[in-house]
């Protein structure tokens, strides 16, 4: 599903993923979960980086995960294979970095203007609030969807890592969030495939 | 130290309500929230002695009971974001 | 949580656990982005192991406490970034003067001044060597991956103990905060070096004894040796001297213990040097970018190699000279306005054209930028 | 006393810099409001004020205020302010410092400015934590409280800024909190009027870090905590130490009337006839 | 109490370093004698003491004392001492600081060590001047007195080290003078016995500079001045401020019993089971 | 007491009166040997002229007060030596960042650390350029006689005003304390430069305006302009920025205002260069010794010339390159273990053999030592 | 504070003379000046309550009236140069 | 009387004088007086330097004055033409730096072991104490003798400078000290010349 980076012939199956939004949405944590799942449990090389303003809280925030079979030299993203955007600002800012056939996943509640109709728009925050009862797990819902849509990470591994890293007492909510995200991701994927089939 | 006690007198927490009794402006828009600066911290909503505000679904204050406002000033003195203006003072 | 001791670590985490593995049992610090995690981790880990953590009132106090602990016998370390590193310069000079083993980690961010606290730079390259007044001889290490940060921290501690000399470890914001897989070795896989201890009777003990290696044994406090140390230029007993001959002897000792051991201290990595007449020179996080750039360029049939100093100071003069023997183009990639390039200018053959690939806007240089420099300059 | 909602806007860099960087609900904004209202009360002109800060969340305040503003290095605001005040004695000089900035790394300048009694009004925003760097303990973090560098509870004792300032020789010390916005404004006004080194300690909420690490709740909860734990200095005098255990004392805690430094220096210049420029350097130094 | 003339020699680096560098009659030597006698009284072993100083005439003291001695940088003695004490809590740690060294450039470490209440006995040699650099005013130079950088009389106010230390949280503060050599010895002994941060301020004569610039005469005259102007703290309580105008108060001025820092830290290590070495680093950090 | 304005001055005295002549009206300092006389003289002289002197609690405070005064509108200066200079590094970086004109005099003594307070050295040569973190661009002047100290202090103040940049004046213990005759010029013989003031309406004023010269006008406090300055990397308005383009623009501005004006800033002196294939390179007090050495050697029929950088930073690259065009031997004389020699190594043609004549035992190098180096190496 | 007062009791200035009355050693060399360390500051000469010392022409102390010495210890406690030893204590 | 430095052919009439003794003997002040007299009032070039230990007080102290008609490049002494030593230690330490035909002047009260019989031994301290009443002016007595013996400086100029630099109230004593020194210097010179005549 994900195309291999054509740009750099030296990397073996390099995939670049960006999780973006605003500070406090837990994107760095989500990046860590993703990196750890893929890196530790799926034997790939990973490099997770981030960028944040001096304000640390509130401002724009992003977390990048680079995945490859071989060594990762340049640890940051060059052109994204996958972009998750949880705010309009993030979507506007980072969409240009997405590859031609890259995958865009957005929070449909917060990103109203989509730069392409080729995006997966899912109301993560809304799902977190309504299905799990707290917007705090929005990031985990998004991760679940990511796993379902892109298949770059096994959702079981994500769950393992999530349970080991999540603060005590939040395990159930996190688990639920992950599976809700996964579920809607799968649904959407199916729907999209149907659409594609219909289109062509 | 005498003035110290005066300060206590104008302390909103102690006197807000008394003042509120005296005068009730009938302005339908006594208080304006400057949404672009507001960060939905909830301070105004919680500190207003007359319960003028409601929170919208994103937590932003909405002037729900304008006629209750006594212009006690508590909300704008405590808004960390300078996002509250009174139309009266 | 992990398989086979493989962990996903931040660079700062790797540095912290590397320090613990090397036997660091004292940390004095003051928070500063992007190094703070090192303090936070060691605040949690040290007391669990009987070690000591203290958050001092500022960086001047931090390095002072670290040197004090070192003199008393601890393996001591601090971590900071540019502004704190600048504040430490006076006492850092003191540590060189009294030959106190200790490690200072500088996780570089954008400067000058407060600059860019959350953005990357490599602009303390020269400061790491020249930041304090007077002549002194820092050992400065770098790291280019999270795993490297782990091992370079261990090496920093070991070198500081071996040479009784402060060691500076230059990391950077990207490396400090990025996460990668790292394999944590078993304890017995790690080589640990401890400072030389005196064996002479206490009355004979000279804390700055002149020895053939220029390294003097160092007693800790409460170990039966009483001695004096001072930041004034001193004789082998540690007492101030104004005699020219003794002053020179001390200054030579400080210099020679490093300069005579450059081959032991100073390391570098090379890739594709043999057949290349274009050499990219880069250290730390930039070296990784260069690794990629070199591969891209070679793919495009440029004869490009990479020279990566792992030790910035003493600079691997010999290695670079050799690497540049056949080079007609050297590209120096660094995240500043041109610092390491001066060393290359100093060392390169005249025929070598030297070009800087500098980036100093808070972002990591990209492989393409380096490749383009190669294309342009070739 | 200015409580009008609009007076502050005169002093803000409203068009350029808002919304500001602080977290939703952060008390620093409330303190800034109180300070600006105090300025308004005194009808101080914007061009007559120099506002100097160090580094920290608190240190960002000058960005938003339309004075001569100087955002300096961590801990050094008061030292910079000293140079400004001495060379331009007519300016109203205000230093904005955090508890880490002003009392940890900047502690020395704090006590020396107090000793020298130079006319700087210092607003000490005490949120009991290093906010900007993410929640390390500060010299005002109470013993036992948690911080990222105090994962087992803080072993250190906090400063009482009042005792420290007084011990160092400050001319004026007052304390209030973000809950007591009006009192804060009055106290700052007094400090601005006071010649010499004056300190107003404003207890502030950093719910994002201090509050979270110590389970003290949201901005609103922390602000209400200040309401419940403040005791006015006059009332405090009648209480036992036990009754004051977890309280903090507000009001003017200390006031003195020692000669002010920059005034003394100007008097020296006058005494030496230094107002009119001399023609030529008189050159002579001998040291035996 | 040791007043025997010979006890001090046990603690001196007599063979190597005497005569010492200080001016004829400089009080620093007297203070050093009192300190060493206090050590003798307590039968403290030389190998159990770490003596740390900064830079200044005062800072030269460790050269002459046969302990673990560390002559550090200007102003930083207490910060170095903090590292030593924390990493080797069994040592008796003594910091020797001058009024410039300890209170000007080193003021921050002084107040923070006091706040932290770490077990360091600080001997503050107050000669009211920068001796080593040739007579500039210090933070204890009285207002109006002359110094090479105060050619028109000092405009600044001096610190009262007692108020400063107390304001910062010191556990013990005592003051005496070179005239009161025996009292000094007793007070230092008390300080050495006291757990926590303790300060003994020893008023000393720098006749070479302070005395000369202020026409206060020879060493003998200055020492006699101390005799005539000392008031014991108990007597001082009964006097009016006017009566105490040009006097200085001696004795134990302040004592408290707050928990000591390094002891607390050792207790934390015990609590965490840190005495026995762990096998492997436990590696996990998450920051959201 | 004197005839025709001729005085017997110490170097430190000359520096102090040079500062007054240049219009310095603020001094903030902290005593340290061998610079203290400057503070003492200005403590006495400034208030007589309506200027301000303050002895701060330390050197960090001193440079802070100086920068504060400068921003407020004063011509401000401080003086120190190694340990104090090290402590100033953080705030010095701040001064570069906010482009505050000010002068820091460093009367060099032996280092590292407390070192040799009363003995001479030139070992802060590199620190003067690289002592603070991040990229910045100091102007560093030197002086080699008492009279030179007077004029170089004036030049330091003028350059700092002209380029809105801190200027460091590197003196040394011998020069600071030695006495020589000096002719004090009339006031109108002295050229005084004042910083550019803004002329735009206050609302338009950008304290870091991008201009063709890269120098931005600077308003003082209370002059009708209100503006913000910060040590964070900032935009032309003085507000923090995280935009790469703005960051680069700022960094380029800092660099270019100096690098584009090297010819105006950087000066050097030459003697007997034309016919010489041996060039002695020395600055400051050592240049005087070299002057003598060159004369002795020429008397002995060696073709020796002298190249004396008056500006250490920016280093007079062009001048030196030219001077060394025909040189097969360069002798670099300095009172350290080899600092300026690295610049010579960087710039010299490959054919030139480069030899150091270093002395670092607290004593001034002698003409004979330099002459001997010439003999040996030739 | 009780011990404080004791301190005052042993204060040389207040008590030296009293003690002196009690015991008068007859040692002809009760006090030795270590000339190599002595800097002729004059403190001992001036502080000795029994006026035991004279100054020689260079200002160095000379034990002129040894039998007056009461071993009160004032001189050696105040000698800044550790140049005075008692042969008795 | 003073031989021109043979060592350095580049200097015109370079003369190197060292005033040495211990801190507190006012040697730096004396050096300044000498330098100012010769430099300002006699039109020569001068360079006065000094060296002292960190103790500042008590330790060894020396003050060098270099005098020349032309420029003075190297400002310190290389080989002394004249050495005044007011302590034995100073005499021992610096005598080796004196040229073969250099002039040695010592305080005969403090320098008991003379390294040569070719020295001018004068009891400066004693003279200061007995003739002027205070040892503080020893340095000035020595300067007077220096002027008389070597002729490198005009005693009238010395007096001028001395009176302008001396602290208020000490003028008379200083004047007296200078003339006493000058007097004994002249006497000694005469006597020495007689001796020399007798010897040869
Ligand atoms: C020399 C130096 N050390 C450390 C830092 C990192 N730093 C920035 S702000 C800060 C602490 C801020 O705490 P505080 O002063 O209490 O302000 P707050 O953020 O809580 O308002 C620190 C340690 C720095 N900028 N400079
Ligand atoms: C960083 C630094 N600044 C300045 C100095 C110069 N210095 C040495 S001692 C001293 C002052 C000493 O005064 P004080 O501490 O009172 O000691 P005293 O000599 O009076 O005993 C100073 C300013 C220095 N060594 N280091
Ligand atoms: S002024 Fe604000 S706080 Fe007061 S009553 Fe009106 S809305 Fe409520
Ligand atoms: S207090 Fe201000 S920022 Fe907070 S919710 Fe109310 S208007 Fe918004
Ligand atoms: S981190 Fe704390 S102090 Fe900083 S802005 Fe947020 S709430 Fe305020
Ligand atoms: S200068 Fe003063 S403090 Fe220093 S040794 Fe002399 S008398 Fe003592
Ligand atoms: S002990 Fe000393 S002071 Fe006392 S009487 Fe004897 S000589 Fe005098
Ligand atoms: S007190 Fe000591 S140094 Fe002073 S004169 Fe007496 S013996 Fe000598
Ligand atoms: Mg804070
Ligand atoms: Mg002192």
């Amino acid at each position: 599903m994900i195309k291999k980076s054509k740009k750099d012939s030296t990397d073996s199956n390099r995939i670049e993923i960006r999780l973006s939004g605003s500070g406090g949405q837990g994107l760095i944590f989500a990046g860590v979960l993703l990196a750890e799942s893929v890196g530790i449990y799926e034997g790939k090389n990973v490099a997770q980086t981030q960028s944040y303003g001096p304000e640390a809280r509130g401002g724009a925030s992003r977390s990048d995960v680079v995945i490859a079979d071989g060594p990762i030299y340049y640890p940051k993203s060059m052109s994204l294979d996958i972009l998750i955007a949880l705010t309009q600002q993030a979507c506007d800012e980072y969409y240009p970095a997405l590859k031609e056939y890259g995958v865009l996943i957005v929070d449909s509640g917060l990103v109203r203007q989509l730069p392409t109709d080729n995006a997966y728009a899912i109301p993560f925050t809304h799902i977190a609030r309504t299905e799990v009862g707290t917007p705090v797990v929005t990031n985990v819902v998004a991760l679940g969807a990511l796993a379902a849509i892109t298949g770059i990470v096994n959702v079981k591994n994500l769950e393992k890592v999530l349970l080991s890293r999540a603060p005590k007492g939040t395990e159930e909510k996190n688990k639920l969030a992950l599976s809700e995200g996964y579920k809607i991701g799968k649904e959407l994927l199916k729907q999209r495939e149907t659409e594609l089939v219909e289109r062509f | 130290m005498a003035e110290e006690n005066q300060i206590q007198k104008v302390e909103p927490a102690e006197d807000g309500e008394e003042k509120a009794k005296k005068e009730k402006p009938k302005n339908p828009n006594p208080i304006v929230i400057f949404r672009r600066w507001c960060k939905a911290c909830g301070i105004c909503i919680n500190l207003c002695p007359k319960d003028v505000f409601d929170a919208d679904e994103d937590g932003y204050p909405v002037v729900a009971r304008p006629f209750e406002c006594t212009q006690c000033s508590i909300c704008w003195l405590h808004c960390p974001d300078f996002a509250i203006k009174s139309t009266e003072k | 949580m992990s398989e086979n001791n493989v962990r996903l670590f931040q660079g700062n985490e790797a540095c912290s656990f590397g320090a613990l593995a090397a036997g660091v049992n004292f940390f004095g610090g003051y928070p500063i982005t992007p190094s703070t995690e090192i303090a936070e981790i060691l605040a949690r880990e040290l007391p669990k192991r009987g070690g000591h953590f203290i958050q001092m009132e500022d960086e001047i106090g931090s390095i002072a406490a670290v040197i004090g602990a070192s003199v008393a016998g601890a393996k001591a370390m601090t971590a900071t970034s540019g502004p704190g590193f600048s504040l430490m310069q006076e006492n850092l000079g003191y540590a060189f003067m009294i030959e106190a083993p200790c490690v200072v980690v500088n996780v570089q961010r954008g400067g000058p001044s407060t600059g860019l606290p959350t953005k990357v730079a490599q602009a303390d390259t020269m400061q790491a060597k020249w930041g304090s007044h007077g002549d002194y001889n820092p050992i400065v290490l770098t790291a280019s991956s999270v795993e490297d940060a782990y091992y370079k921290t261990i090496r920093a501690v070991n070198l500081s103990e071996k040479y009784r000399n402060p060691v500076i470890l230059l990391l950077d914001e990207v490396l400090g905060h990025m996460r990668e897989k790292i394999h944590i070795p078993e304890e017995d896989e790690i080589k640990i070096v401890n400072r030389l201890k005196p064996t002479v009777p206490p009355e004979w003990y000279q804390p700055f004894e002149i020895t053939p290696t220029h390294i003097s044994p160092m007693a800790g406090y409460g170990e039966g040796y009483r001695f004096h140390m001072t930041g004034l230029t001193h004789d082998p007993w540690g007492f101030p001297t104004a005699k020219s001959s003794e002053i020179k002897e001390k200054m030579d000792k400080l210099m020679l213990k490093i300069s005579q051991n450059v081959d032991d201290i100073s390391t570098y990595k090379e890739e594709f040097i043999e057949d290349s007449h274009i050499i990219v020179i880069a250290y730390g996080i930039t070296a990784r970018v260069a690794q990629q750039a070199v591969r891209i360029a070679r793919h495009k049939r440029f004869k490009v190699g990479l020279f990566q100093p792992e030790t910035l100071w003493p600079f691997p003069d010999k290695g670079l000279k050799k690497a540049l023997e056949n080079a007609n183009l050297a590209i120096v990639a660094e995240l500043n306005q041109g610092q390491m390039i001066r060393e290359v200018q100093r060392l390169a053959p005249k025929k070598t054209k030297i070009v800087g690939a500098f980036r100093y806007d808070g972002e990591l240089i990209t492989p393409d930028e380096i490749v383009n420099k190669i294309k342009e300059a070739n | 006393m200015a409580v009008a909602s609009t007076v502050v806007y005169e002093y803000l860099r409203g068009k350029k810099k808002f919304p500001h960087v602080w977290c939703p609900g952060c008390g620093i904004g409330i303190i800034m409001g109180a300070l600006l209202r105090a300025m308004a009360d005194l009808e101080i002109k914007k061009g007559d004020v120099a506002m100097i800060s160090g580094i920290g969340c608190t240190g960002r305040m000058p960005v938003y205020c339309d004075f001569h503003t100087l955002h300096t290095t961590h801990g050094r605001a008061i030292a910079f302010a000293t140079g400004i005040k001495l060379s331009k004695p007519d300016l109203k000089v205000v230093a904005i410092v955090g508890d880490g900035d002003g009392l940890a790394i900047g502690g020395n300048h704090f006590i020396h400015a107090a000793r020298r009694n130079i006319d700087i009004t210092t607003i000490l925003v005490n949120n009991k934590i290093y906010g900007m760097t993410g929640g390390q303990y500060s010299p005002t973090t109470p013993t036992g409280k948690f911080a990222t560098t105090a994962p087992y509870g803080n072993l250190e004792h906090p400063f009482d800024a009042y005792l420290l300032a007084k011990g160092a020789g400050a001319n004026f010390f007052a304390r209030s909190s973000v809950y007591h916005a009006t009192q804060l404004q009055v106290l700052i006004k007094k400090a601005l009027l006071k010649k010499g080194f004056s300190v107003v300690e404003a207890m502030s909420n950093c719910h994002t870090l201090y509050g979270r690490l110590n389970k003290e709740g949201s901005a609103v909860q922390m602000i209400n905590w200040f309401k419940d734990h403040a005791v006015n200095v006059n009332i405090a005098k009648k209480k036992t130490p036990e009754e004051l255990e977890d309280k903090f004392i507000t009001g003017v805690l200390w006031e003195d009337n020692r000669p002010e430094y920059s005034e003394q220096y100007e008097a020296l210049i006058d005494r030496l006839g230094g107002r009119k420029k001399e023609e030529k350097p008189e050159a002579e130094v001998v040291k035996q």
Side-chain angles (χ1 to χ4, degrees), chain D residues 60-239:
Chain D
R60 290 298 176 101
M61 195 187 290
V63 167
Y64 309 107
C65 300
D66 195 15
F67 305 124
H68 301 297
T69 55
L70 192 64
H71 182 219
T72 70
T73 47
H74 189 40
R76 315 302 171 191
I78 292 172
F80 279 88
T82 298
I84 292 169
K85 179 69 196 178
L86 188 59
S87 74
K88 291 258 161 119
D90 293 338
L91 289 175
K92 178 95 350 235
V93 178
V94 180
I96 310 291
V97 303
D99 45 328
D101 185 52
L103 299 181
I105 192 168
N108 210 29
H109 310 301
F110 183 84
I111 58 175
H112 280 274
R115 176 178 67 74
R116 219 173 261 132
N117 198 29
I118 187 160
D119 190 26
I120 296 171
T121 305
T122 299
I123 311 294
L124 167 62
V125 176
N126 183 358
N127 54 15
K128 301 187 269 186
I129 201 91
Y130 290 176
M132 182 63 104
T133 43
Q136 298 75 31
Y137 65 90
S138 90
T140 58
T141 306
T143 311
K145 292 289 180 182
F146 294 95
T148 61
T149 46
Y152 309 111
N154 184 18
L155 297 182
E156 305 201 1
H157 309 276
F159 275 138
D160 181 333
Y162 150 60
L163 293 176
L164 183 67
K166 182 178 145 191
N171 226 21
F172 180 94
F173 187 97
R175 187 189 287 131
S176 187
S177 89
V178 288
Y179 178 78
H180 307 84
T182 326
Q183 184 193 37
L184 190 55
Q185 176 180 340
V186 172
L187 293 173
I188 294 175
K189 206 162 80 185
K190 287 190 177 199
L192 287 169
L193 287 171
K194 184 85 194 177
K195 265 228 176 312
F197 190 72
S198 55
V199 183
V200 179
E201 181 180 19
M203 304 303 299
S204 186
N205 58 303
C206 174
H207 49 289
T208 306
L209 296 163
Y210 185 84
R212 185 168 54 81
L213 290 164
N214 289 289
K215 307 203 187 344
E216 298 194 359
S218 67
V220 171
Q221 283 170 299
M222 288 189 77
I223 290 173
N224 280 325
W225 187 95
F226 291 126
K227 174 172 77 177
D228 300 335
H229 293 77
V231 180
N232 185 276
V233 62
N234 295 318
I235 294 160
K237 277 178 197 146
K238 294 164 212 145
K239 303 239 171 184

Side-chain angles (χ1 to χ4, degrees), chain B residues 33 37-45 59-61 75 78-84, chain D residues 25:
Chain B
I33 306 287
W37 291 10
C38 170
K39 294 185 190 141
C41 69
I43 290 175
C44 55
I45 303 171
Y60 287 91
C75 57
H78 287 86
C79 171
D81 287 86
F82 303 90
I84 307 182

Side-chain angles (χ1 to χ4, degrees), chain C residues 62-75:
Chain C
S62 302
I63 180 82
V66 161
I67 300 168
S70 167
V71 169
K75 286 194 181 178

Side-chain angles (χ1 to χ4, degrees), chain C residues 12-58:
Chain C
N12 284 341
E13 245 173 315
C15 173
S16 309
F17 284 100
L20 293 171
V24 165
N25 54 9
F26 187 95
F27 182 95
Y30 190 80
I32 184 165
T33 308
S35 76
T36 306
E37 292 82 4
I38 300 174
E40 291 172 337
I41 293 166
L42 292 174
R44 191 190 62 208
E45 298 298 328
L46 276 170
K48 286 198 223 161
R49 293 162 169 78
H52 296 89
F53 166 90
I54 189 166
Q55 182 177 300
M56 292 294 287
E57 48 274 18
D58 59 18

Side-chain angles (χ1 to χ4, degrees), chain C residues 61-238:
Chain C
S62 302
I63 180 82
V66 161
I67 300 168
S70 167
V71 169
K75 286 194 181 178
M77 175 173 124
T78 188
T80 187
S81 188
F85 194 57
S86 288
L87 282 176
M88 289 182 183
Q89 292 304 325
E90 192 206 4
N91 278 341
L92 198 51
Y94 178 80
F96 284 102
M97 186 59 125
I98 66 159
E99 307 183 43
C102 58
V103 172
V104 178
V105 181
N106 175 354
V107 187
Q108 295 170 93
R109 67 190 219 185
S113 193
T114 315
L116 302 161
T118 59
K119 289 178 171 282
V120 72
Q122 297 180 306
D124 309 347
T125 303
M126 282 300 207
Q127 186 194 25
K129 176 154 176 64
W130 304 109
S132 195
H133 60 284
D135 289 305
Y136 61 102
N137 301 274
I139 297 174
V140 181
L141 304 183
T142 70
S144 58
S145 74
V146 169
E147 190 156 86
D148 200 20
Y150 182 86
Y151 287 104
K152 286 295 166 49
T153 307
I154 295 175
R155 182 153 201 262
V157 177
N158 284 345
L159 284 172
S160 82
E161 292 283 320
K162 179 169 180 183
Y163 291 106
R164 237 189 97 172
N165 210 60
V167 175
I168 294 157
L169 176 60
L170 278 188
L171 304 177
D172 63 78
E173 189 278 332
V174 168
L175 190 62
H177 284 158
M178 78 184 273
R179 287 183 178 81
E180 288 188 303
K181 287 194 328 191
I182 149 172
H183 176 269
I184 303 278
E186 297 299 324
E187 223 172 80
D188 54 14
E189 293 174 58
I190 297 169
K191 199 190 134 216
I192 290 193
V193 179
N194 294 315
R195 65 192 72 170
L196 222 61
K197 293 274 178 183
T199 50
V200 295
E203 320 81 72
W204 297 3
Y205 176 57
Q206 300 181 336
F208 302 99
E209 189 189 346
I210 302 297
T211 65
T213 58
H214 310 290
I215 301 160
S216 319
M218 184 166 179
Y221 282 7
E223 297 175 0
Y225 295 84
R226 294 186 306 282
F227 53 89
H228 184 68
M229 287 182 166
T230 174
L232 287 160
T233 312
H234 43 257
D235 63 22
W237 295 97

Side-chain angles (χ1 to χ4, degrees), chain B residues 32-34 37-45 47 53 61 73-85, chain D residues 5 8-9 12 18 20 22-34 37 178 181 223:
Chain B
V32 184
I33 306 287
F34 187 19
W37 291 10
C38 170
K39 294 185 190 141
C41 69
I43 290 175
C44 55
I45 303 171
L47 290 195
F53 306 100
S73 82
I74 289 179
C75 57
W76 68 74
L77 293 180
H78 287 86
C79 171
D81 287 86
F82 303 90
I84 307 182
K85 264 192 190 174
Chain D
S5 67
V8 291
Y9 295 97
L12 293 184
F18 284 77
H20 56 51
W22 296 308
C23 298
C26 175
I28 302 174
I30 304 174
I31 296 163
M32 179 170 131
R37 283 195 175 79
V178 288
I223 290 173

